[in-house]
Amino acid sequence: MATRLLAAVALLAFAAACSAGPATTPPGAFVPPPIPMAEPGALIEGQVNLVVWAGYAERSWTDPFTRSTGCKVNATVAGSSDEMVADVKSGQYDVVSASGDASLRLIASGDVAPIDVAKVPSYAQIYPSLKNKSWNSVDGVPYGIPHGRGANVLVYNKDKIKDPPTSLGAIFDPDPTVAGHVTVYDSPISIADAALYLMHAQPDLAIKNPYALDQTQFAAAVDLLRKLEPAVGNWWSDTGAQADDLKKGNDLIGTSWQVVLNALARDGHKEIGAVKPVEGVTGWSDTWMIAAGAKNPTCAYKWLDYITSPAVNAKVAEFFGEAPANSQACTKTTDPGFCATYHADEEAYWDNVWYWTTPTTRCLDGSDRTCVPYSAWVTAWNRIKQK
C-alpha cells in the first residue's frame, strides 16, 4: 500500500475521548453543525468533487447521476486511508468514501461534518447494525451514510495445505512449510488482526477489543508480527496482485477479501479456499462523508442519497465486491446469489467481525485505561516491515 503518513496525528486529542459504541464528545468540545443544503428548487452548484476507493465512482453510474441532477462528478482515487485523510485536509473535495480506519480521524479533526439524514431518504433503508457506530458517529450524531462492508477472511491453498485451517493461528503461528508464503494486508490496521488472535490465544492479556490496546497488549501484538515477518512473502494492498500471487503459489495462506476469491473462482482456481476463523475476523465498513468545507454541499447531499439508494448501492457492491449497506439492495443485484456470497443479510455472520476503527488514547472498549493511538500503530508498522 502506498503509505502517506498522517500529517496531523495530533488531531487524536479529540478522538481520544471516543469510547465503545457510538463515539463520545469530551465536555465542551465543539461539534460543527451539519452542512447546509439548498432548499428544493434552488440552483445547484453543478459539480461534486469526490475522493474515493477505486470502483466507487465508475461512469456507468456517475453519468446517470449527472444527467438526472446536473451535478458533474469529479472523482479522485486514493490508494490508502492515509491518502484519503490527507486529500480531505487539502480542502479540494466535497465527499469522501472513508473506511473505519480513516473516518474517526476525519471526525476528530473537524474535516468532515455531521450529516442531516433528513436530506438523505435512503438512510432509512441502511441496515441498523451499520448506523451510529464508533467509526461513523459522535454521541449518536451520524457523520456519514454507510455504503458497504466486508470481512478480512483467512485464505489458503487447498492443494498445499491439506487440513483446512480453522484459526488465525494458521497465519500468526504458521506451519514451517508455509514460511515465506504468508500474505498479510499492508496497513497499520493489520496490527488488530494480531491482537484479535492474541485475544483468544493469550487470554491473560485481557484484550477486549483489538483496536483498544494498552501498551502491554500493543507490545504483544507488535512482537507477534515481528516474529511473523520472516514468514511473510507479500504485504499486499492490491487485490489483483494478491490474486496473481495466490494463482502462482507465491502466497499459500493469509488474509484476503471475498472479491479476490471471486476473481480466482472465475479464473478456475478452485484450489484457493477461505474460512472465517473461530476467533472471528477484522473487517471494514465504508462511509460516505461530507467535508466540513464542502464547496458543493447540495450536489454532495444528492450524491450521498443516490449512491446509497438500493439499485445503485447494489451495482457498486457487485462491481467492487462487498456486501451492500442498503437493506433493499439485495433485490436489485444482477446475480441472485450475490448477497448470499457476501453474507449481506446474515446479521449473525457479522457478530464477530471487528470493523476497522481508528485506535485512540481513550480505549474504545469503554475502559478507563490509556490505549495506544493510531500514530504509534503507524510507527510500529513501518518498523515491522523494515526488520
Side-chain angles (χ1 to χ4, degrees):
M1 176 180 67
T3 303
R4 183 184 299 172
L5 293 182
L6 185 60
V9 172
L11 60 85
L12 289 175
F14 168 78
C18 297
S19 61
T24 58
T25 310
F30 172 69
V31 177
I35 291 290
M37 178 181 175
E39 294 302 318
L43 182 66
I44 64 171
E45 302 94 357
Q47 67 176 350
V48 61
N49 300 310
L50 317 176
V51 56
V52 298
W53 292 117
Y56 274 15
E58 300 299 302
R59 290 193 61 181
S60 62
W61 52 86
T62 61
D63 285 354
F65 170 77
T66 298
R67 288 194 296 268
S68 64
T69 65
C71 300
K72 179 184 177 183
V73 177
N74 305 309
T76 296
V77 172
S80 70
S81 288
D82 286 347
E83 285 186 18
M84 282 191 174
V85 171
D87 286 340
V88 174
K89 287 181 175 296
S90 74
Q92 301 176 48
Y93 298 95
D94 304 303
V95 174
V96 58
S97 63
S99 293
D101 57 337
S103 53
L104 191 58
R105 286 185 264 166
L106 293 169
I107 295 172
S109 63
D111 288 308
V112 294
I115 296 293
D116 183 352
V117 297
K119 302 291 200 315
V120 186
S122 61
Y123 185 74
Q125 301 164 344
I126 301 298
Y127 289 107
S129 59
L130 292 176
K131 297 178 180 179
N132 293 325
K133 299 302 177 182
S134 60
W135 61 88
N136 60 25
S137 69
V138 173
D139 288 338
V141 177
Y143 272 73
I145 311 297
H147 168 84
R149 55 182 165 178
N152 301 320
V153 295
L154 193 167
V155 65
Y156 70 104
N157 187 308
K158 294 185 286 187
D159 290 345
K160 302 293 184 179
I161 301 173
K162 299 302 182 182
D163 295 326
T166 60
S167 167
L168 286 170
I171 297 174
F172 294 106
D173 186 18
D175 188 280
T177 60
V178 300
H181 300 284
V182 177
T183 178
V184 176
Y185 183 58
D186 187 2
S187 170
I189 208 68
S190 288
I191 294 172
D193 293 274
L196 180 57
Y197 170 64
L198 292 174
M199 185 190 302
H200 297 267
Q202 295 186 28
D204 56 306
L205 286 170
I207 297 173
K208 304 299 182 184
N209 181 317
Y211 307 104
L213 307 177
D214 62 29
Q215 191 58 55
T216 299
Q217 296 165 340
F218 182 74
V222 170
D223 185 57
L224 181 62
L225 283 161
R226 284 176 176 159
K227 291 177 180 177
L228 176 66
E229 194 274 338
V232 175
N234 285 297
W235 305 95
W236 73 273
S237 60
D238 181 272
T239 55
Q242 190 195 37
D244 286 341
D245 284 322
L246 288 166
K247 290 177 186 177
K248 297 172 182 176
N250 296 336
D251 293 339
L252 298 179
I253 195 165
T255 56
S256 191
W257 297 341
Q258 185 64 47
V259 65
V260 175
L261 297 170
N262 291 358
L264 292 168
R266 285 194 300 269
D267 291 344
H269 287 272
K270 297 182 179 180
E271 77 279 10
I272 307 301
V275 297
K276 185 182 179 186
V278 294
E279 300 92 346
V281 293
T282 59
W284 42 269
S285 175
D286 292 346
T287 303
W288 289 104
M289 312 180 88
I290 297 181
K295 299 178 178 62
N296 305 291
T298 300
C299 283
Y301 266 103
K302 287 181 179 294
W303 173 259
L304 262 60
D305 187 47
Y306 170 82
I307 197 66
T308 57
S309 62
V312 184
N313 194 217
K315 192 170 186 176
V316 181
E318 283 193 281
F319 182 87
F320 184 81
E322 63 188 339
N326 191 303
S327 62
Q328 298 182 21
C330 290
T331 65
K332 307 293 184 181
T333 57
T334 57
D335 174 6
F338 178 82
C339 282
T341 298
Y342 284 86
H343 310 281
D345 287 324
E346 298 176 46
E347 287 303 323
Y349 177 86
W350 304 98
D351 285 346
N352 62 350
V353 174
W354 295 84
Y355 297 105
W356 288 344
T357 306
T358 306
T360 61
T361 52
R362 181 171 176 180
C363 296
L364 295 167
D365 61 4
S367 68
D368 59 1
R369 301 172 301 132
T370 297
C371 280
V372 177
Y374 183 73
S375 57
W377 287 50
V378 172
T379 300
W381 186 254
N382 291 334
R383 289 175 178 170
I384 289 167
K385 292 177 57 183
Q386 291 172 356
K387 182 179 176 182

